Amino acid sequence: MAKTSWKPGNMIYPLPAVMVTCRDKGQDNIITIAWTGTICTNPPMTYISVRPERHSYEMIKNSGEFVINLTTKQLTRAMDFCGVRSGRDVDKFKEARLTKEEAQVVDAPIIAESPVNIECKVEKIVPLGSHHMFMAKVVNIMVDDDYMEDNGRFALEKTNPLIYSHGGYYETGKKLGTFGYSVRKKKKRKKPNGRKK
């Protein structure tokens, strides 16, 4: 197979497209983020990378708290709006018609329409270049009861979470497998008389 060499860049796609909410000195804001992910399981830690010139950067730096709100197909337009308009100029909750509610642990708003709200406290800020990474501990998670199954499982896939790739927003596709399925032993089928084949 022929391949072409490109200059170094970010080619790890797709990524989650999320809306991050924050509060500082009584002002609330929303920033759309794609540079986010998991960095540790125990303790549960995540990160967001933000350009220092963004309005939310100083808000998060000052407060040390933020909420990652996962997005859905229904939130696509609002999510895009919150990424191209500055909180210096507009009230994004009002303009994007999003419902503001209070987080349970951190002093920041959450987006009610989001199926998952991940409350975070900043542990460390790492200057990297164009972006600074906010490494944060997850201190609480709120999930929409509409996606809870009878067995207590949260069916995140039913929310139709959004992903971002090369400037485009996409719906998630169909399930192709589960973790470890490639090495999982197949269950033996029983014969009609009850014995295993």
Side-chain angles (χ1 to χ4, degrees):
M1 280 192 305
K3 292 198 174 184
T4 300
S5 180
W6 280 13
K7 68 177 182 178
N10 294 314
M11 293 295 288
I12 303 174
Y13 289 106
L15 297 163
V18 303
M19 289 188 283
V20 173
T21 47
C22 54
R23 173 177 292 149
D24 183 40
K25 299 181 179 71
Q27 182 188 11
D28 296 335
N29 196 36
I30 306 169
I31 179 174
T32 298
I33 295 282
W35 300 162
T36 184
T38 299
I39 53 176
C40 189
T41 301
N42 190 19
M45 292 188 69
T46 185
Y47 80 94
I48 57 171
S49 288
V50 185
R51 291 181 181 271
E53 60 267 26
R54 297 292 294 270
H55 183 53
S56 291
Y57 177 87
E58 286 297 329
M59 297 179 71
I60 296 170
K61 183 179 178 181
N62 292 339
S63 69
E65 299 177 330
F66 61 89
V67 179
I68 297 175
N69 302 272
L70 301 192
T71 56
T72 64
K73 179 180 179 180
Q74 289 73 26
L75 289 170
T76 306
R77 189 174 184 85
M79 180 194 59
D80 183 67
F81 178 86
C82 291
V84 296
R85 291 289 184 266
S86 174
R88 293 184 183 96
D89 308 318
V90 298
D91 179 340
K92 295 186 186 180
F93 275 98
K94 181 180 178 182
E95 296 298 322
R97 298 179 181 176
L98 295 170
T99 307
K100 182 193 302 186
E101 293 183 354
E102 291 299 311
Q104 290 190 346
V105 175
V106 302
D107 182 19
I110 67 168
I111 297 171
E113 290 81 2
S114 170
V116 181
N117 316 100
I118 305 168
E119 301 180 39
C120 307
K121 289 196 174 185
V122 177
E123 293 279 305
K124 187 177 182 181
I125 303 173
V126 184
L128 298 171
S130 64
H131 291 67
H132 291 186
M133 178 189 290
F134 290 89
M135 299 172 65
K137 186 177 288 186
V138 176
V139 294
N140 189 51
I141 295 178
M142 298 174 70
V143 297
D144 190 330
D145 290 342
D146 287 345
Y147 301 101
M148 291 298 299
E149 296 181 339
D150 292 339
N151 61 1
R153 175 181 175 271
F154 181 70
L156 179 62
E157 70 281 359
K158 292 181 181 177
T159 71
N160 201 3
L162 283 183
I163 52 177
Y164 173 85
S165 182
H166 295 277
Y169 308 120
Y170 300 88
E171 298 179 58
T172 48
K174 67 178 181 179
K175 183 177 179 181
L176 301 177
T178 57
F179 180 76
Y181 84 100
S182 63
V183 295
R184 193 173 295 127
K185 291 182 179 179
K186 292 182 179 179
K187 292 181 180 179
K188 293 182 179 179
R189 290 181 298 168
K190 290 184 179 181
K191 289 184 177 180
N193 60 5
R195 291 181 298 170
K196 292 181 178 179
K197 288 186 177 181

